[in-house]
mmCIF file of all heavy atoms in Angstrom:
data_model
loop_
_atom_site.group_PDB
_atom_site.id
_atom_site.type_symbol
_atom_site.label_atom_id
_atom_site.label_comp_id
_atom_site.label_asym_id
_atom_site.label_seq_id
_atom_site.Cartn_x
_atom_site.Cartn_y
_atom_site.Cartn_z
ATOM 1 N N LYS P 1 7.770 -2.364 -12.047
ATOM 2 C CA LYS P 1 7.210 -1.824 -13.298
ATOM 3 C C LYS P 1 6.127 -0.768 -13.056
ATOM 4 O O LYS P 1 5.663 -0.139 -13.991
ATOM 5 C CB LYS P 1 6.600 -2.955 -14.133
ATOM 6 C CG LYS P 1 7.498 -4.156 -14.326
ATOM 7 C CD LYS P 1 8.636 -3.859 -15.274
ATOM 8 C CE LYS P 1 9.328 -5.121 -15.766
ATOM 9 N NZ LYS P 1 9.715 -6.075 -14.732
ATOM 10 N N LEU P 2 5.724 -0.600 -11.807
ATOM 11 C CA LEU P 2 4.595 0.282 -11.501
ATOM 12 C C LEU P 2 5.089 1.707 -11.264
ATOM 13 O O LEU P 2 5.338 2.125 -10.136
ATOM 14 C CB LEU P 2 3.832 -0.240 -10.277
ATOM 15 C CG LEU P 2 3.328 -1.686 -10.374
ATOM 16 C CD1 LEU P 2 2.550 -2.071 -9.132
ATOM 17 C CD2 LEU P 2 2.493 -1.883 -11.631
ATOM 18 N N THR P 3 5.222 2.447 -12.336
ATOM 19 C CA THR P 3 5.743 3.811 -12.247
ATOM 20 C C THR P 3 4.637 4.838 -12.024
ATOM 21 O O THR P 3 4.902 5.927 -11.531
ATOM 22 C CB THR P 3 6.509 4.177 -13.524
ATOM 23 O OG1 THR P 3 5.651 3.970 -14.658
ATOM 24 C CG2 THR P 3 7.741 3.283 -13.681
ATOM 25 N N ASP P 4 3.401 4.522 -12.386
ATOM 26 C CA ASP P 4 2.287 5.437 -12.174
ATOM 27 C C ASP P 4 1.830 5.349 -10.719
ATOM 28 O O ASP P 4 1.544 4.256 -10.214
ATOM 29 C CB ASP P 4 1.135 5.074 -13.107
ATOM 30 C CG ASP P 4 -0.030 6.036 -12.976
ATOM 31 O OD1 ASP P 4 -0.874 5.832 -12.076
ATOM 32 O OD2 ASP P 4 -0.089 7.010 -13.761
ATOM 33 N N ILE P 5 1.749 6.476 -10.035
ATOM 34 C CA ILE P 5 1.458 6.486 -8.613
ATOM 35 C C ILE P 5 0.091 5.896 -8.302
ATOM 36 O O ILE P 5 -0.086 5.160 -7.331
ATOM 37 C CB ILE P 5 1.585 7.915 -8.015
ATOM 38 C CG1 ILE P 5 1.402 7.886 -6.491
ATOM 39 C CG2 ILE P 5 0.619 8.871 -8.667
ATOM 40 C CD1 ILE P 5 2.456 7.133 -5.749
ATOM 41 N N ASP P 6 -0.917 6.196 -9.117
ATOM 42 C CA ASP P 6 -2.251 5.638 -8.885
ATOM 43 C C ASP P 6 -2.228 4.115 -8.938
ATOM 44 O O ASP P 6 -2.817 3.447 -8.077
ATOM 45 C CB ASP P 6 -3.240 6.167 -9.925
ATOM 46 C CG ASP P 6 -3.447 7.658 -9.840
ATOM 47 O OD1 ASP P 6 -2.615 8.408 -10.386
ATOM 48 O OD2 ASP P 6 -4.426 8.069 -9.213
ATOM 49 N N VAL P 7 -1.556 3.583 -9.951
ATOM 50 C CA VAL P 7 -1.491 2.134 -10.122
ATOM 51 C C VAL P 7 -0.717 1.503 -8.974
ATOM 52 O O VAL P 7 -1.120 0.471 -8.418
ATOM 53 C CB VAL P 7 -0.833 1.779 -11.475
ATOM 54 C CG1 VAL P 7 -0.646 0.269 -11.616
ATOM 55 C CG2 VAL P 7 -1.676 2.318 -12.626
ATOM 56 N N ARG P 8 0.388 2.131 -8.592
ATOM 57 C CA ARG P 8 1.218 1.583 -7.514
ATOM 58 C C ARG P 8 0.473 1.564 -6.182
ATOM 59 O O ARG P 8 0.521 0.578 -5.436
ATOM 60 C CB ARG P 8 2.503 2.405 -7.377
ATOM 61 C CG ARG P 8 3.571 1.702 -6.538
ATOM 62 C CD ARG P 8 4.786 2.575 -6.365
ATOM 63 N NE ARG P 8 4.590 3.553 -5.302
ATOM 64 C CZ ARG P 8 5.177 4.748 -5.245
ATOM 65 N NH1 ARG P 8 5.974 5.122 -6.222
ATOM 66 N NH2 ARG P 8 4.975 5.560 -4.243
ATOM 67 N N VAL P 9 -0.241 2.639 -5.883
ATOM 68 C CA VAL P 9 -0.982 2.701 -4.627
ATOM 69 C C VAL P 9 -2.108 1.679 -4.610
ATOM 70 O O VAL P 9 -2.317 0.991 -3.598
ATOM 71 C CB VAL P 9 -1.522 4.127 -4.385
ATOM 72 C CG1 VAL P 9 -2.586 4.136 -3.294
ATOM 73 C CG2 VAL P 9 -0.373 5.059 -3.998
ATOM 74 N N GLU P 10 -2.827 1.546 -5.708
ATOM 75 C CA GLU P 10 -3.907 0.557 -5.757
ATOM 76 C C GLU P 10 -3.349 -0.846 -5.543
ATOM 77 O O GLU P 10 -3.954 -1.670 -4.845
ATOM 78 C CB GLU P 10 -4.654 0.638 -7.085
ATOM 79 C CG GLU P 10 -5.567 1.840 -7.208
ATOM 80 C CD GLU P 10 -6.660 1.872 -6.148
ATOM 81 O OE1 GLU P 10 -7.192 0.790 -5.790
ATOM 82 O OE2 GLU P 10 -6.977 2.965 -5.669
ATOM 83 N N ALA P 11 -2.199 -1.129 -6.144
ATOM 84 C CA ALA P 11 -1.578 -2.439 -5.971
ATOM 85 C C ALA P 11 -1.164 -2.655 -4.522
ATOM 86 O O ALA P 11 -1.324 -3.757 -3.972
ATOM 87 C CB ALA P 11 -0.367 -2.577 -6.898
ATOM 88 N N ALA P 12 -0.658 -1.607 -3.885
ATOM 89 C CA ALA P 12 -0.262 -1.709 -2.477
ATOM 90 C C ALA P 12 -1.475 -1.964 -1.583
ATOM 91 O O ALA P 12 -1.410 -2.748 -0.629
ATOM 92 C CB ALA P 12 0.453 -0.434 -2.039
ATOM 93 N N ILE P 13 -2.582 -1.302 -1.885
ATOM 94 C CA ILE P 13 -3.803 -1.500 -1.101
ATOM 95 C C ILE P 13 -4.270 -2.957 -1.212
ATOM 96 O O ILE P 13 -4.665 -3.580 -0.221
ATOM 97 C CB ILE P 13 -4.905 -0.531 -1.564
ATOM 98 C CG1 ILE P 13 -4.539 0.906 -1.160
ATOM 99 C CG2 ILE P 13 -6.256 -0.912 -0.972
ATOM 100 C CD1 ILE P 13 -5.444 1.967 -1.760
ATOM 101 N N VAL P 14 -4.197 -3.511 -2.413
ATOM 102 C CA VAL P 14 -4.586 -4.909 -2.601
ATOM 103 C C VAL P 14 -3.621 -5.836 -1.865
ATOM 104 O O VAL P 14 -4.042 -6.793 -1.211
ATOM 105 C CB VAL P 14 -4.636 -5.269 -4.099
ATOM 106 C CG1 VAL P 14 -4.880 -6.771 -4.279
ATOM 107 C CG2 VAL P 14 -5.737 -4.485 -4.796
ATOM 108 N N ALA P 15 -2.320 -5.547 -1.953
ATOM 109 C CA ALA P 15 -1.331 -6.376 -1.254
ATOM 110 C C ALA P 15 -1.565 -6.337 0.252
ATOM 111 O O ALA P 15 -1.473 -7.369 0.935
ATOM 112 C CB ALA P 15 0.074 -5.905 -1.591
ATOM 113 N N ALA P 16 -1.866 -5.161 0.778
ATOM 114 C CA ALA P 16 -2.161 -5.047 2.203
ATOM 115 C C ALA P 16 -3.404 -5.858 2.549
ATOM 116 O O ALA P 16 -3.464 -6.529 3.600
ATOM 117 C CB ALA P 16 -2.356 -3.580 2.584
ATOM 118 N N GLY P 17 -4.404 -5.827 1.668
ATOM 119 C CA GLY P 17 -5.605 -6.626 1.897
ATOM 120 C C GLY P 17 -5.299 -8.116 1.908
ATOM 121 O O GLY P 17 -5.865 -8.866 2.716
ATOM 122 N N ALA P 18 -4.400 -8.532 1.036
ATOM 123 C CA ALA P 18 -4.006 -9.940 1.012
ATOM 124 C C ALA P 18 -3.297 -10.331 2.310
ATOM 125 O O ALA P 18 -3.512 -11.427 2.844
ATOM 126 C CB ALA P 18 -3.107 -10.210 -0.191
ATOM 127 N N ARG P 19 -2.461 -9.434 2.813
ATOM 128 C CA ARG P 19 -1.818 -9.700 4.114
ATOM 129 C C ARG P 19 -2.867 -9.815 5.218
ATOM 130 O O ARG P 19 -2.772 -10.674 6.108
ATOM 131 C CB ARG P 19 -0.831 -8.574 4.447
ATOM 132 C CG ARG P 19 0.407 -8.546 3.576
ATOM 133 C CD ARG P 19 1.291 -9.743 3.815
ATOM 134 N NE ARG P 19 2.503 -9.699 3.008
ATOM 135 C CZ ARG P 19 3.337 -10.731 2.878
ATOM 136 N NH1 ARG P 19 3.093 -11.873 3.494
ATOM 137 N NH2 ARG P 19 4.417 -10.617 2.127
ATOM 138 N N ARG P 20 -3.896 -8.971 5.166
ATOM 139 C CA ARG P 20 -4.969 -9.046 6.148
ATOM 140 C C ARG P 20 -5.734 -10.363 6.021
ATOM 141 O O ARG P 20 -6.118 -10.975 7.021
ATOM 142 C CB ARG P 20 -5.921 -7.852 5.987
ATOM 143 C CG ARG P 20 -5.296 -6.547 6.420
ATOM 144 C CD ARG P 20 -6.140 -5.346 6.067
ATOM 145 N NE ARG P 20 -7.417 -5.313 6.785
ATOM 146 C CZ ARG P 20 -8.226 -4.263 6.820
ATOM 147 N NH1 ARG P 20 -7.896 -3.159 6.163
ATOM 148 N NH2 ARG P 20 -9.360 -4.306 7.492
ATOM 149 N N ASP P 21 -5.942 -10.815 4.787
ATOM 150 C CA ASP P 21 -6.597 -12.110 4.578
ATOM 151 C C ASP P 21 -5.834 -13.224 5.288
ATOM 152 O O ASP P 21 -6.433 -14.204 5.762
ATOM 153 C CB ASP P 21 -6.666 -12.445 3.088
ATOM 154 C CG ASP P 21 -7.564 -11.497 2.298
ATOM 155 O OD1 ASP P 21 -8.395 -10.804 2.920
ATOM 156 O OD2 ASP P 21 -7.415 -11.454 1.058
ATOM 157 N N LEU P 22 -4.513 -13.081 5.311
ATOM 158 C CA LEU P 22 -3.651 -14.096 5.939
ATOM 159 C C LEU P 22 -3.468 -13.863 7.440
ATOM 160 O O LEU P 22 -2.719 -14.592 8.089
ATOM 161 C CB LEU P 22 -2.286 -14.093 5.243
ATOM 162 C CG LEU P 22 -2.291 -14.546 3.775
ATOM 163 C CD1 LEU P 22 -0.981 -14.180 3.088
ATOM 164 C CD2 LEU P 22 -2.552 -16.040 3.676
ATOM 165 N N GLY P 23 -4.130 -12.832 7.972
ATOM 166 C CA GLY P 23 -4.018 -12.521 9.392
ATOM 167 C C GLY P 23 -2.735 -11.804 9.766
ATOM 168 O O GLY P 23 -2.377 -11.738 10.941
ATOM 169 N N GLN P 24 -2.062 -11.221 8.764
ATOM 170 C CA GLN P 24 -0.768 -10.561 8.987
ATOM 171 C C GLN P 24 -0.955 -9.038 9.032
ATOM 172 O O GLN P 24 -0.583 -8.315 8.106
ATOM 173 C CB GLN P 24 0.210 -10.973 7.881
ATOM 174 C CG GLN P 24 0.432 -12.473 7.797
ATOM 175 C CD GLN P 24 1.193 -12.888 6.549
ATOM 176 O OE1 GLN P 24 1.538 -12.069 5.704
ATOM 177 N NE2 GLN P 24 1.457 -14.185 6.424
ATOM 178 N N LEU P 25 -1.529 -8.555 10.126
ATOM 179 C CA LEU P 25 -1.873 -7.135 10.202
ATOM 180 C C LEU P 25 -0.642 -6.238 10.223
ATOM 181 O O LEU P 25 -0.630 -5.174 9.597
ATOM 182 C CB LEU P 25 -2.744 -6.870 11.434
ATOM 183 C CG LEU P 25 -4.146 -7.505 11.402
ATOM 184 C CD1 LEU P 25 -4.897 -7.179 12.681
ATOM 185 C CD2 LEU P 25 -4.927 -7.024 10.194
ATOM 186 N N ASP P 26 0.386 -6.634 10.950
ATOM 187 C CA ASP P 26 1.603 -5.813 10.983
ATOM 188 C C ASP P 26 2.228 -5.723 9.594
ATOM 189 O O ASP P 26 2.708 -4.655 9.180
ATOM 190 C CB ASP P 26 2.620 -6.400 11.972
ATOM 191 C CG ASP P 26 2.216 -6.165 13.424
ATOM 192 O OD1 ASP P 26 1.339 -5.304 13.665
ATOM 193 O OD2 ASP P 26 2.770 -6.844 14.305
ATOM 194 N N ALA P 27 2.211 -6.826 8.863
ATOM 195 C CA ALA P 27 2.753 -6.816 7.508
ATOM 196 C C ALA P 27 1.897 -5.949 6.584
ATOM 197 O O ALA P 27 2.417 -5.247 5.707
ATOM 198 C CB ALA P 27 2.828 -8.242 6.958
ATOM 199 N N ALA P 28 0.587 -5.971 6.795
ATOM 200 C CA ALA P 28 -0.306 -5.127 5.997
ATOM 201 C C ALA P 28 -0.003 -3.653 6.231
ATOM 202 O O ALA P 28 0.074 -2.850 5.284
ATOM 203 C CB ALA P 28 -1.765 -5.428 6.347
ATOM 204 N N LEU P 29 0.184 -3.280 7.474
ATOM 205 C CA LEU P 29 0.528 -1.890 7.796
ATOM 206 C C LEU P 29 1.865 -1.510 7.172
ATOM 207 O O LEU P 29 2.032 -0.396 6.652
ATOM 208 C CB LEU P 29 0.569 -1.698 9.318
ATOM 209 C CG LEU P 29 -0.782 -1.751 10.036
ATOM 210 C CD1 LEU P 29 -0.576 -1.805 11.545
ATOM 211 C CD2 LEU P 29 -1.651 -0.553 9.658
ATOM 212 N N ALA P 30 2.822 -2.430 7.213
ATOM 213 C CA ALA P 30 4.150 -2.151 6.652
ATOM 214 C C ALA P 30 4.064 -1.899 5.147
ATOM 215 O O ALA P 30 4.763 -1.021 4.617
ATOM 216 C CB ALA P 30 5.093 -3.318 6.947
ATOM 217 N N VAL P 31 3.218 -2.653 4.459
ATOM 218 C CA VAL P 31 3.040 -2.455 3.013
ATOM 219 C C VAL P 31 2.554 -1.036 2.740
ATOM 220 O O VAL P 31 3.068 -0.339 1.853
ATOM 221 C CB VAL P 31 2.036 -3.477 2.445
ATOM 222 C CG1 VAL P 31 1.617 -3.089 1.024
ATOM 223 C CG2 VAL P 31 2.634 -4.879 2.439
ATOM 224 N N LEU P 32 1.572 -0.589 3.495
ATOM 225 C CA LEU P 32 0.988 0.736 3.275
ATOM 226 C C LEU P 32 1.937 1.852 3.698
ATOM 227 O O LEU P 32 1.935 2.939 3.112
ATOM 228 C CB LEU P 32 -0.337 0.842 4.028
ATOM 229 C CG LEU P 32 -1.411 -0.151 3.558
ATOM 230 C CD1 LEU P 32 -2.606 -0.135 4.497
ATOM 231 C CD2 LEU P 32 -1.836 0.147 2.127
ATOM 232 N N GLN P 33 2.762 1.577 4.708
ATOM 233 C CA GLN P 33 3.722 2.584 5.167
ATOM 234 C C GLN P 33 4.817 2.862 4.139
ATOM 235 O O GLN P 33 5.490 3.894 4.210
ATOM 236 C CB GLN P 33 4.346 2.128 6.492
ATOM 237 C CG GLN P 33 3.395 2.236 7.674
ATOM 238 C CD GLN P 33 3.861 1.436 8.879
ATOM 239 O OE1 GLN P 33 4.879 0.720 8.812
ATOM 240 N NE2 GLN P 33 3.142 1.531 9.974
ATOM 241 N N GLN P 34 4.980 1.964 3.185
ATOM 242 C CA GLN P 34 5.976 2.174 2.125
ATOM 243 C C GLN P 34 5.496 3.175 1.077
ATOM 244 O O GLN P 34 6.276 3.629 0.248
ATOM 245 C CB GLN P 34 6.301 0.835 1.444
ATOM 246 C CG GLN P 34 7.020 -0.157 2.336
ATOM 247 C CD GLN P 34 7.196 -1.505 1.652
ATOM 248 O OE1 GLN P 34 7.255 -1.586 0.424
ATOM 249 N NE2 GLN P 34 7.276 -2.565 2.434
ATOM 250 N N GLU P 35 4.210 3.519 1.118
ATOM 251 C CA GLU P 35 3.638 4.452 0.151
ATOM 252 C C GLU P 35 3.552 5.859 0.759
ATOM 253 O O GLU P 35 3.659 6.024 1.973
ATOM 254 C CB GLU P 35 2.252 3.960 -0.288
ATOM 255 C CG GLU P 35 2.257 2.550 -0.862
ATOM 256 C CD GLU P 35 3.227 2.397 -2.021
ATOM 257 O OE1 GLU P 35 3.413 3.350 -2.800
ATOM 258 O OE2 GLU P 35 3.815 1.297 -2.147
ATOM 259 N N PRO P 36 3.344 6.899 -0.066
ATOM 260 C CA PRO P 36 3.392 8.293 0.408
ATOM 261 C C PRO P 36 2.150 8.731 1.195
ATOM 262 O O PRO P 36 1.360 9.566 0.749
ATOM 263 C CB PRO P 36 3.558 9.101 -0.884
ATOM 264 C CG PRO P 36 2.950 8.246 -1.943
ATOM 265 C CD PRO P 36 3.239 6.824 -1.546
ATOM 266 N N LEU P 37 1.998 8.170 2.381
ATOM 267 C CA LEU P 37 0.867 8.517 3.244
ATOM 268 C C LEU P 37 0.854 9.992 3.624
ATOM 269 O O LEU P 37 -0.203 10.569 3.910
ATOM 270 C CB LEU P 37 0.914 7.672 4.525
ATOM 271 C CG LEU P 37 0.466 6.209 4.421
ATOM 272 C CD1 LEU P 37 1.011 5.414 5.590
ATOM 273 C CD2 LEU P 37 -1.048 6.123 4.376
ATOM 274 N N HIS P 38 2.027 10.615 3.637
ATOM 275 C CA HIS P 38 2.138 12.008 4.095
ATOM 276 C C HIS P 38 2.150 13.007 2.932
ATOM 277 O O HIS P 38 2.488 14.178 3.139
ATOM 278 C CB HIS P 38 3.394 12.167 4.945
ATOM 279 C CG HIS P 38 3.342 11.372 6.226
ATOM 280 N ND1 HIS P 38 2.692 11.820 7.354
ATOM 281 C CD2 HIS P 38 3.840 10.151 6.522
ATOM 282 C CE1 HIS P 38 2.803 10.912 8.311
ATOM 283 N NE2 HIS P 38 3.498 9.890 7.834
ATOM 284 N N ASN P 39 1.797 12.553 1.751
ATOM 285 C CA ASN P 39 1.682 13.480 0.621
ATOM 286 C C ASN P 39 0.739 14.629 0.994
ATOM 287 O O ASN P 39 -0.244 14.431 1.706
ATOM 288 C CB ASN P 39 1.148 12.720 -0.596
ATOM 289 C CG ASN P 39 1.204 13.539 -1.862
ATOM 290 O OD1 ASN P 39 0.435 14.468 -2.045
ATOM 291 N ND2 ASN P 39 2.119 13.201 -2.749
ATOM 292 N N SER P 40 1.033 15.818 0.499
ATOM 293 C CA SER P 40 0.258 16.999 0.921
ATOM 294 C C SER P 40 -0.853 17.407 -0.044
ATOM 295 O O SER P 40 -1.601 18.342 0.240
ATOM 296 C CB SER P 40 1.201 18.195 1.126
ATOM 297 O OG SER P 40 1.897 18.482 -0.074
ATOM 298 N N SER P 41 -0.970 16.744 -1.184
ATOM 299 C CA SER P 41 -1.982 17.134 -2.171
ATOM 300 C C SER P 41 -3.189 16.209 -2.110
ATOM 301 O O SER P 41 -3.046 14.999 -2.298
ATOM 302 C CB SER P 41 -1.387 17.086 -3.585
ATOM 303 O OG SER P 41 -0.285 17.959 -3.686
ATOM 304 N N PRO P 42 -4.376 16.753 -1.837
ATOM 305 C CA PRO P 42 -5.575 15.906 -1.803
ATOM 306 C C PRO P 42 -5.819 15.256 -3.165
ATOM 307 O O PRO P 42 -5.928 15.939 -4.178
ATOM 308 C CB PRO P 42 -6.703 16.895 -1.466
ATOM 309 C CG PRO P 42 -6.019 18.058 -0.833
ATOM 310 C CD PRO P 42 -4.684 18.157 -1.508
#
């Protein structure tokens, strides 16, 4: 349901944080890698 990019990215950041809380660093990185890290617009 998260079609707005700002909302989707914020949710991904929180999900990655939750994975870190559980000690799942590789899973946290994977969550963030699914988002547009290489976007060219600041």
Side-chain angles (χ1 to χ4, degrees):
K1 310 288 195 310
L2 304 182
T3 55
D4 183 275
I5 185 65
D6 296 82
V7 175
R8 195 183 81 208
V9 165
E10 286 300 323
I13 290 171
V14 173
R19 290 293 182 191
R20 290 171 65 168
D21 294 342
L22 294 166
Q24 302 169 358
L25 293 179
D26 286 344
L29 290 170
V31 168
L32 298 171
Q33 287 164 356
Q34 293 175 27
E35 304 305 326
L37 284 160
H38 295 278
N39 189 287
S40 59
S41 301

